[in-house]
Amino acid sequence: MTTSDQAKRILVTGGTGLVGSAIKHVIENEPDRDKRNEEYFFISSKDCDLRNREETEVLFKKHQPTHVIHLAALVGGLFRNLSRNLDFFRENMEINDNVLSVAYQTGVKKVISCLSTCIFPDKTTYPIDETMVHSGPPHDSNFGYSYAKRMIDVLNRGYFVQHGVQYTSIIPTNVYGPDDNFNIEDGHVLPGLIHKCYLAKQNNTPLIIWGSGKPLRQFIYSYDLAKLYLWVLREYDSIEPIILSVGEEDEVSIKQAAEAVVKAMNFTGEIKYDTTRADGQFKKTASNAKLRRYLPDFQFTPFEEAIQYTCDWFVKNYDRARK
Ligand code: NAP
Ligand code: GDP
Protein backbone atom coordinates (compact mmCIF):
# COMPACT_ATOMS: atom_id res chain seq x y z
CA MET A 1 0.00 0.00 0.00
CA THR A 2 1.44 3.42 -0.96
CA THR A 3 1.07 6.51 1.22
CA SER A 4 -1.66 7.87 -1.05
CA ASP A 5 -3.70 4.65 -0.59
CA GLN A 6 -3.80 5.06 3.19
CA ALA A 7 -7.07 6.30 4.64
CA LYS A 8 -7.31 10.09 4.85
CA ARG A 9 -9.64 11.90 7.23
CA ILE A 10 -9.87 15.42 5.83
CA LEU A 11 -11.18 18.31 7.88
CA VAL A 12 -12.25 21.25 5.71
CA THR A 13 -12.41 24.44 7.79
CA GLY A 14 -14.53 27.11 6.13
CA GLY A 15 -16.29 24.18 4.47
CA THR A 16 -19.55 26.12 3.97
CA GLY A 17 -18.02 29.11 2.14
CA LEU A 18 -17.38 29.78 -1.55
CA VAL A 19 -14.27 27.59 -1.83
CA GLY A 20 -15.41 24.93 0.68
CA SER A 21 -18.74 24.44 -1.13
CA ALA A 22 -16.90 24.10 -4.43
CA ILE A 23 -14.59 21.43 -3.00
CA LYS A 24 -17.65 19.56 -1.73
CA HIS A 25 -19.30 19.80 -5.15
CA VAL A 26 -16.19 18.55 -6.97
CA ILE A 27 -15.65 15.62 -4.60
CA GLU A 28 -19.29 14.56 -4.88
CA ASN A 29 -18.96 14.51 -8.66
CA GLU A 30 -15.60 12.70 -8.96
CA PRO A 31 -16.12 9.49 -10.97
CA ASP A 32 -13.67 7.50 -8.79
CA ARG A 33 -15.10 8.90 -5.56
CA ASP A 34 -15.90 5.52 -4.00
CA LYS A 35 -12.43 4.12 -4.74
CA ARG A 36 -10.65 6.94 -2.95
CA ASN A 37 -9.84 6.23 0.64
CA GLU A 38 -10.91 9.71 1.78
CA GLU A 39 -13.47 10.89 4.31
CA TYR A 40 -14.35 14.58 4.43
CA PHE A 41 -15.70 16.76 7.26
CA PHE A 42 -16.96 20.19 6.15
CA ILE A 43 -17.03 22.61 9.08
CA SER A 44 -18.63 26.03 9.49
CA SER A 45 -18.35 28.64 12.26
CA LYS A 46 -21.54 27.16 13.71
CA ASP A 47 -19.71 23.87 14.38
CA CYS A 48 -16.70 25.59 15.94
CA ASP A 49 -15.44 29.14 16.40
CA LEU A 50 -11.82 28.65 15.38
CA ARG A 51 -10.85 31.90 17.13
CA ASN A 52 -11.36 29.92 20.31
CA ARG A 53 -8.56 27.49 21.17
CA GLU A 54 -10.66 25.17 23.39
CA GLU A 55 -13.34 24.84 20.72
CA THR A 56 -10.66 24.11 18.14
CA GLU A 57 -9.21 21.35 20.33
CA VAL A 58 -12.67 19.80 20.77
CA LEU A 59 -13.24 19.90 16.99
CA PHE A 60 -9.96 18.09 16.23
CA LYS A 61 -10.60 15.56 18.95
CA LYS A 62 -14.03 14.82 17.49
CA HIS A 63 -12.96 14.32 13.86
CA GLN A 64 -9.34 13.15 14.32
CA PRO A 65 -8.21 14.43 10.92
CA THR A 66 -5.06 13.21 9.20
CA HIS A 67 -5.26 16.14 6.75
CA VAL A 68 -6.70 19.66 6.95
CA ILE A 69 -7.86 21.90 4.12
CA HIS A 70 -7.80 25.19 6.00
CA LEU A 71 -10.11 27.76 4.38
CA ALA A 72 -11.79 29.42 7.37
CA ALA A 73 -11.06 33.12 7.56
CA LEU A 74 -12.62 36.52 7.95
CA VAL A 75 -12.98 37.25 4.22
CA GLY A 76 -14.32 40.25 2.30
CA GLY A 77 -14.01 42.51 -0.68
CA LEU A 78 -12.13 45.80 -0.85
CA PHE A 79 -14.73 47.82 1.07
CA ARG A 80 -15.09 45.40 3.99
CA ASN A 81 -11.28 45.32 4.30
CA LEU A 82 -11.04 49.13 4.21
CA SER A 83 -13.41 49.45 7.16
CA ARG A 84 -12.09 46.59 9.34
CA ASN A 85 -8.32 46.15 8.88
CA LEU A 86 -7.72 45.51 12.59
CA ASP A 87 -10.43 42.81 12.78
CA PHE A 88 -9.03 41.13 9.66
CA PHE A 89 -5.58 40.98 11.24
CA ARG A 90 -6.63 39.83 14.72
CA GLU A 91 -9.32 37.30 13.79
CA ASN A 92 -7.28 35.66 11.05
CA MET A 93 -4.18 35.50 13.25
CA GLU A 94 -6.22 33.77 15.97
CA ILE A 95 -7.87 31.31 13.58
CA ASN A 96 -4.61 30.40 11.82
CA ASP A 97 -2.55 29.99 14.99
CA ASN A 98 -5.23 27.79 16.56
CA VAL A 99 -5.70 25.59 13.48
CA LEU A 100 -2.00 25.04 12.83
CA SER A 101 -0.98 24.51 16.44
CA VAL A 102 -3.84 22.12 17.23
CA ALA A 103 -3.15 20.28 13.95
CA TYR A 104 0.48 19.83 15.02
CA GLN A 105 -0.50 18.88 18.58
CA THR A 106 -2.86 16.15 17.30
CA GLY A 107 -0.48 14.67 14.71
CA VAL A 108 -2.09 15.97 11.50
CA LYS A 109 0.18 15.00 8.56
CA LYS A 110 -0.64 17.76 6.13
CA VAL A 111 -2.38 21.15 6.34
CA ILE A 112 -3.05 23.18 3.22
CA SER A 113 -3.88 26.77 4.10
CA CYS A 114 -5.09 29.48 1.80
CA LEU A 115 -3.25 32.75 1.11
CA SER A 116 -4.29 35.19 -1.64
CA THR A 117 -2.62 37.17 -4.41
CA CYS A 118 -3.88 40.38 -2.75
CA ILE A 119 -1.34 39.92 0.08
CA PHE A 120 1.68 40.49 -2.18
CA PRO A 121 3.67 43.77 -2.10
CA ASP A 122 1.87 46.72 -3.64
CA LYS A 123 5.01 48.13 -5.23
CA THR A 124 6.53 45.22 -7.09
CA THR A 125 7.59 43.85 -10.44
CA TYR A 126 5.21 41.77 -12.55
CA PRO A 127 4.31 39.02 -12.84
CA ILE A 128 4.20 38.25 -9.14
CA ASP A 129 5.50 34.81 -8.17
CA GLU A 130 5.67 32.62 -5.06
CA THR A 131 9.05 34.00 -3.96
CA MET A 132 7.63 37.51 -3.35
CA VAL A 133 5.19 36.96 -0.46
CA HIS A 134 7.33 38.94 2.02
CA SER A 135 9.11 41.31 -0.39
CA GLY A 136 7.50 44.61 0.64
CA PRO A 137 4.43 46.21 2.26
CA PRO A 138 1.01 45.13 0.97
CA HIS A 139 -1.55 47.60 -0.42
CA ASP A 140 -2.86 49.92 2.34
CA SER A 141 -6.48 48.91 1.73
CA ASN A 142 -6.07 45.39 3.15
CA PHE A 143 -2.92 45.44 5.28
CA GLY A 144 -4.60 43.57 8.17
CA TYR A 145 -5.71 40.61 6.06
CA SER A 146 -2.41 40.58 4.16
CA TYR A 147 -0.08 40.48 7.14
CA ALA A 148 -2.21 37.82 8.87
CA LYS A 149 -2.12 35.67 5.73
CA ARG A 150 1.64 36.17 5.32
CA MET A 151 2.11 34.84 8.85
CA ILE A 152 0.69 31.48 7.71
CA ASP A 153 3.78 31.11 5.53
CA VAL A 154 5.95 32.00 8.55
CA LEU A 155 4.12 29.40 10.67
CA ASN A 156 4.52 26.74 7.96
CA ARG A 157 8.27 27.37 7.86
CA GLY A 158 8.44 27.26 11.64
CA TYR A 159 6.59 23.94 11.89
CA PHE A 160 8.85 22.47 9.21
CA VAL A 161 12.16 23.77 10.56
CA GLN A 162 11.41 23.06 14.22
CA HIS A 163 9.21 19.95 13.94
CA GLY A 164 9.72 18.58 10.41
CA VAL A 165 6.02 18.60 9.42
CA GLN A 166 4.81 19.53 5.95
CA TYR A 167 2.25 22.27 6.32
CA THR A 168 1.84 24.24 3.10
CA SER A 169 -0.27 26.93 1.44
CA ILE A 170 -1.86 27.78 -1.87
CA ILE A 171 -2.29 31.28 -3.32
CA PRO A 172 -5.44 31.81 -5.39
CA THR A 173 -6.33 34.94 -7.33
CA ASN A 174 -9.86 36.43 -7.03
CA VAL A 175 -12.33 33.54 -6.72
CA TYR A 176 -15.99 33.50 -7.82
CA GLY A 177 -18.76 30.94 -8.26
CA PRO A 178 -21.91 29.51 -6.64
CA ASP A 179 -22.29 29.93 -2.85
CA ASP A 180 -20.23 33.13 -2.83
CA ASN A 181 -21.00 35.97 -0.43
CA PHE A 182 -23.29 38.16 -2.58
CA ASN A 183 -23.57 40.89 0.07
CA ILE A 184 -23.10 44.16 -1.81
CA GLU A 185 -21.04 46.11 0.77
CA ASP A 186 -19.02 43.19 2.19
CA GLY A 187 -18.46 40.89 -0.78
CA HIS A 188 -16.01 40.79 -3.66
CA VAL A 189 -16.49 42.52 -6.98
CA LEU A 190 -18.12 39.75 -9.07
CA PRO A 191 -20.78 38.64 -6.55
CA GLY A 192 -21.39 42.35 -5.79
CA LEU A 193 -21.90 43.18 -9.47
CA ILE A 194 -24.14 40.12 -10.02
CA HIS A 195 -26.35 41.10 -7.09
CA LYS A 196 -26.45 44.78 -8.13
CA CYS A 197 -27.28 43.79 -11.72
CA TYR A 198 -30.10 41.54 -10.47
CA LEU A 199 -31.58 44.45 -8.45
CA ALA A 200 -31.09 46.99 -11.26
CA LYS A 201 -32.98 44.68 -13.60
CA GLN A 202 -35.80 44.15 -11.08
CA ASN A 203 -36.15 47.83 -10.21
CA ASN A 204 -35.42 49.32 -13.61
CA THR A 205 -32.53 51.37 -12.17
CA PRO A 206 -28.95 51.90 -13.44
CA LEU A 207 -26.19 49.41 -12.61
CA ILE A 208 -23.55 51.27 -10.60
CA ILE A 209 -19.99 49.97 -10.97
CA TRP A 210 -17.74 51.22 -8.18
CA GLY A 211 -14.43 52.90 -8.95
CA SER A 212 -13.06 53.66 -12.42
CA GLY A 213 -13.43 50.14 -13.85
CA LYS A 214 -9.74 50.29 -14.84
CA PRO A 215 -8.08 47.98 -12.26
CA LEU A 216 -7.08 44.54 -13.54
CA ARG A 217 -7.83 41.18 -11.96
CA GLN A 218 -7.32 37.47 -12.69
CA PHE A 219 -10.48 35.59 -11.73
CA ILE A 220 -10.54 31.87 -11.01
CA TYR A 221 -13.78 29.88 -11.04
CA SER A 222 -14.34 28.18 -7.67
CA TYR A 223 -14.86 24.72 -9.24
CA ASP A 224 -11.49 25.00 -11.05
CA LEU A 225 -9.82 26.11 -7.82
CA ALA A 226 -11.44 23.18 -5.99
CA LYS A 227 -9.96 20.68 -8.49
CA LEU A 228 -6.52 22.25 -8.08
CA TYR A 229 -6.86 22.30 -4.27
CA LEU A 230 -7.56 18.54 -4.33
CA TRP A 231 -4.50 18.01 -6.52
CA VAL A 232 -2.42 19.86 -3.89
CA LEU A 233 -3.93 17.68 -1.16
CA ARG A 234 -3.10 14.46 -3.00
CA GLU A 235 0.09 15.23 -4.94
CA TYR A 236 1.92 18.41 -3.91
CA ASP A 237 4.62 17.77 -1.31
CA SER A 238 6.38 21.00 -0.43
CA ILE A 239 5.95 23.63 2.25
CA GLU A 240 6.53 26.36 -0.35
CA PRO A 241 3.33 28.12 -1.44
CA ILE A 242 1.98 27.59 -4.95
CA ILE A 243 -0.06 30.13 -6.93
CA LEU A 244 -3.31 28.64 -8.29
CA SER A 245 -4.36 31.04 -11.01
CA VAL A 246 -5.43 31.44 -14.60
CA GLY A 247 -2.67 32.77 -16.87
CA GLU A 248 -1.50 36.37 -17.14
CA GLU A 249 -3.17 36.51 -20.56
CA ASP A 250 -6.55 35.94 -18.85
CA GLU A 251 -6.38 39.10 -16.76
CA VAL A 252 -9.41 41.37 -17.31
CA SER A 253 -10.36 44.90 -16.26
CA ILE A 254 -13.21 45.48 -13.80
CA LYS A 255 -15.05 47.06 -16.75
CA GLN A 256 -14.67 43.86 -18.81
CA ALA A 257 -15.76 41.75 -15.83
CA ALA A 258 -18.85 43.96 -15.42
CA GLU A 259 -19.63 43.60 -19.14
CA ALA A 260 -19.51 39.80 -18.77
CA VAL A 261 -22.00 40.02 -15.87
CA VAL A 262 -24.27 42.38 -17.83
CA LYS A 263 -24.30 39.94 -20.77
CA ALA A 264 -24.93 36.87 -18.60
CA MET A 265 -27.74 38.64 -16.71
CA ASN A 266 -29.21 39.92 -19.98
CA PHE A 267 -29.25 43.46 -18.51
CA THR A 268 -30.12 46.19 -21.02
CA GLY A 269 -30.41 49.19 -18.68
CA GLU A 270 -28.06 52.10 -18.01
CA ILE A 271 -24.52 51.52 -16.64
CA LYS A 272 -22.76 54.15 -14.50
CA TYR A 273 -19.42 54.40 -12.70
CA ASP A 274 -19.20 55.78 -9.16
CA THR A 275 -15.65 57.16 -9.10
CA THR A 276 -16.06 58.41 -5.52
CA ARG A 277 -15.55 54.73 -4.56
CA ALA A 278 -12.01 53.35 -4.19
CA ASP A 279 -10.23 51.42 -6.95
CA GLY A 280 -8.02 49.50 -4.52
CA GLN A 281 -4.86 47.86 -5.81
CA PHE A 282 -4.46 48.57 -9.53
CA LYS A 283 -3.28 45.09 -10.38
CA LYS A 284 -1.72 41.98 -8.83
CA THR A 285 -0.83 40.07 -11.98
CA ALA A 286 0.38 36.65 -10.90
CA SER A 287 2.34 34.00 -12.76
CA ASN A 288 1.00 30.46 -12.85
CA ALA A 289 4.29 29.13 -14.31
CA LYS A 290 4.97 26.95 -11.25
CA LEU A 291 1.50 25.37 -11.46
CA ARG A 292 1.95 24.85 -15.21
CA ARG A 293 5.23 22.99 -14.61
CA TYR A 294 3.22 20.42 -12.62
CA LEU A 295 -0.06 20.50 -14.59
CA PRO A 296 0.65 21.74 -18.13
CA ASP A 297 -2.69 20.47 -19.47
CA PHE A 298 -5.12 21.66 -16.78
CA GLN A 299 -8.13 23.25 -18.50
CA PHE A 300 -9.65 26.34 -16.85
CA THR A 301 -13.34 26.96 -17.46
CA PRO A 302 -13.70 29.90 -19.90
CA PHE A 303 -14.55 33.11 -18.00
CA GLU A 304 -17.85 33.87 -19.79
CA GLU A 305 -19.08 30.29 -19.37
CA ALA A 306 -18.36 30.27 -15.61
CA ILE A 307 -19.89 33.77 -15.18
CA GLN A 308 -23.04 32.54 -16.93
CA TYR A 309 -23.22 29.53 -14.63
CA THR A 310 -22.67 31.71 -11.53
CA CYS A 311 -25.31 34.27 -12.58
CA ASP A 312 -27.82 31.49 -13.33
CA TRP A 313 -27.06 29.93 -9.92
CA PHE A 314 -27.65 33.28 -8.17
CA VAL A 315 -30.97 33.93 -9.93
CA LYS A 316 -32.17 30.38 -9.23
CA ASN A 317 -31.02 30.43 -5.59
CA TYR A 318 -31.81 34.07 -4.81
CA ASP A 319 -33.80 33.30 -1.67
CA ARG A 320 -31.11 31.18 -0.05
CA ALA A 321 -27.97 32.89 -1.40
CA ARG A 322 -25.74 34.67 1.17
CA LYS A 323 -26.50 38.33 0.73
P1 NAP B 1 -16.25 32.63 2.57
O1 NAP B 1 -17.16 32.23 1.46
O2 NAP B 1 -16.45 33.95 3.21
O3 NAP B 1 -16.32 31.48 3.68
C1 NAP B 1 -15.62 31.63 4.88
C2 NAP B 1 -15.74 30.34 5.64
O4 NAP B 1 -14.99 30.48 6.85
C3 NAP B 1 -17.18 30.00 6.04
O5 NAP B 1 -17.36 28.60 6.00
C4 NAP B 1 -17.25 30.51 7.48
O6 NAP B 1 -18.22 29.84 8.27
C5 NAP B 1 -15.84 30.16 7.96
N1 NAP B 1 -15.43 30.97 9.10
C6 NAP B 1 -15.29 32.32 9.18
N2 NAP B 1 -14.92 32.68 10.43
C7 NAP B 1 -14.83 31.52 11.16
C8 NAP B 1 -14.52 31.23 12.50
N3 NAP B 1 -14.21 32.22 13.38
N4 NAP B 1 -14.55 29.95 12.90
C9 NAP B 1 -14.85 28.96 12.04
N5 NAP B 1 -15.14 29.16 10.76
C10 NAP B 1 -15.15 30.43 10.32
O7 NAP B 1 -14.73 32.59 2.11
P2 NAP B 1 -14.09 31.96 0.78
O8 NAP B 1 -14.18 33.02 -0.28
O9 NAP B 1 -14.60 30.59 0.54
O10 NAP B 1 -12.56 31.91 1.22
C11 NAP B 1 -11.92 30.68 1.57
C12 NAP B 1 -10.44 30.94 1.72
O11 NAP B 1 -9.93 31.41 0.47
C13 NAP B 1 -10.11 32.01 2.76
O12 NAP B 1 -8.98 31.61 3.50
C14 NAP B 1 -9.79 33.25 1.91
O13 NAP B 1 -8.90 34.10 2.57
C15 NAP B 1 -9.19 32.61 0.67
N6 NAP B 1 -9.28 33.41 -0.56
C16 NAP B 1 -10.50 33.82 -1.04
C17 NAP B 1 -10.56 34.57 -2.19
C18 NAP B 1 -11.88 35.06 -2.77
O14 NAP B 1 -11.86 35.77 -3.79
N7 NAP B 1 -13.01 34.69 -2.20
C19 NAP B 1 -9.37 34.90 -2.88
C20 NAP B 1 -8.16 34.46 -2.37
C21 NAP B 1 -8.12 33.71 -1.21
P3 NAP B 1 -19.77 30.31 8.24
O15 NAP B 1 -20.35 29.80 6.96
O16 NAP B 1 -20.39 29.69 9.41
O17 NAP B 1 -19.74 31.82 8.30
P1 GDP C 1 -9.78 43.12 -4.45
O1 GDP C 1 -9.61 42.36 -5.72
O2 GDP C 1 -9.10 42.45 -3.29
O3 GDP C 1 -9.39 44.56 -4.59
O4 GDP C 1 -11.31 43.11 -4.00
P2 GDP C 1 -12.71 43.16 -4.76
O5 GDP C 1 -13.09 41.83 -5.25
O6 GDP C 1 -13.60 43.82 -3.76
O7 GDP C 1 -12.52 44.08 -6.04
C1 GDP C 1 -12.36 45.46 -5.91
C2 GDP C 1 -12.30 46.17 -7.26
O8 GDP C 1 -13.56 46.07 -7.93
C3 GDP C 1 -12.04 47.65 -7.04
O9 GDP C 1 -11.38 48.18 -8.18
C4 GDP C 1 -13.48 48.19 -6.95
O10 GDP C 1 -13.53 49.60 -7.23
C5 GDP C 1 -14.16 47.38 -8.05
N1 GDP C 1 -15.61 47.24 -7.92
C6 GDP C 1 -16.54 47.66 -8.82
N2 GDP C 1 -17.78 47.40 -8.41
C7 GDP C 1 -17.65 46.73 -7.22
C8 GDP C 1 -18.60 46.15 -6.31
O11 GDP C 1 -19.81 46.19 -6.50
N3 GDP C 1 -18.09 45.52 -5.20
C9 GDP C 1 -16.74 45.45 -4.96
N4 GDP C 1 -16.31 44.79 -3.87
N5 GDP C 1 -15.83 46.02 -5.79
C10 GDP C 1 -16.28 46.65 -6.91
Side-chain angles (χ1 to χ4, degrees), residues 148-221:
K149 287 283 185 188
R150 288 181 185 193
M151 290 308 114
I152 291 180
D153 182 59
V154 174
L155 288 166
N156 287 344
R157 275 159 207 270
Y159 281 107
F160 180 68
V161 171
Q162 208 168 315
H163 299 303
V165 287
Q166 289 248 339
Y167 296 165
T168 193
S169 60
I170 59 116
I171 312 181
T173 43
N174 290 53
V175 191
Y176 67 100
D179 293 296
D180 206 341
N181 178 5
F182 289 87
N183 182 283
I184 291 174
E185 276 301 325
D186 287 349
H188 288 97
V189 55
L190 282 174
L193 287 172
I194 292 170
H195 192 176
K196 287 197 285 191
C197 200
Y198 178 93
L199 295 177
K201 212 175 150 181
Q202 294 266 310
N203 303 330
N204 230 344
T205 50
L207 167 65
I208 314 286
I209 300 167
W210 293 343
S212 66
K214 290 181 184 156
L216 302 172
R217 296 290 183 266
Q218 284 155 298
F219 291 102
I220 184 168
Y221 185 41

Side-chain angles (χ1 to χ4, degrees), residues 1-10 32-39 66-67 109 233-235 237:
M1 190 186 264
T2 65
T3 317
S4 58
D5 292 329
Q6 286 167 5
K8 290 192 182 92
R9 295 173 62 81
I10 303 140
D32 54 354
R33 184 187 176 202
D34 295 337
K35 291 192 209 117
R36 289 190 186 278
N37 213 346
E38 295 174 346
E39 192 176 357
T66 56
H67 294 66
K109 290 193 187 114
L233 170 77
R234 294 163 182 159
E235 311 283 345
D237 281 320

Side-chain angles (χ1 to χ4, degrees), residues 193-310:
L193 287 172
I194 292 170
H195 192 176
K196 287 197 285 191
C197 200
Y198 178 93
L199 295 177
K201 212 175 150 181
Q202 294 266 310
N203 303 330
N204 230 344
T205 50
L207 167 65
I208 314 286
I209 300 167
W210 293 343
S212 66
K214 290 181 184 156
L216 302 172
R217 296 290 183 266
Q218 284 155 298
F219 291 102
I220 184 168
Y221 185 41
S222 58
Y223 290 4
D224 292 342
L225 177 61
K227 288 176 192 158
L228 294 172
Y229 220 125
L230 291 168
W231 167 76
V232 172
L233 170 77
R234 294 163 182 159
E235 311 283 345
Y236 180 76
D237 281 320
S238 163
I239 66 156
E240 297 299 332
I242 180 165
I243 292 174
L244 303 182
S245 169
V246 299
E248 293 153 60
E249 66 284 1
D250 293 316
E251 191 170 52
V252 294
S253 67
I254 297 297
K255 179 172 186 280
Q256 287 171 310
E259 284 165 357
V261 170
V262 163
K263 188 168 167 227
M265 295 291 283
N266 206 7
F267 176 72
T268 52
E270 192 185 354
I271 298 171
K272 288 180 168 173
Y273 287 84
D274 177 357
T275 51
T276 64
R277 289 277 192 158
D279 264 346
Q281 198 161 3
F282 179 65
K283 65 177 184 173
K284 35 192 176 176
T285 319
S287 164
N288 68 358
K290 180 172 175 177
L291 173 67
R292 282 299 187 203
R293 282 198 292 278
Y294 287 100
L295 296 178
D297 300 324
F298 183 83
Q299 298 279 324
F300 289 96
T301 311
F303 184 57
E304 290 204 351
E305 192 184 306
I307 286 287
Q308 185 70 60
Y309 188 86
T310 307

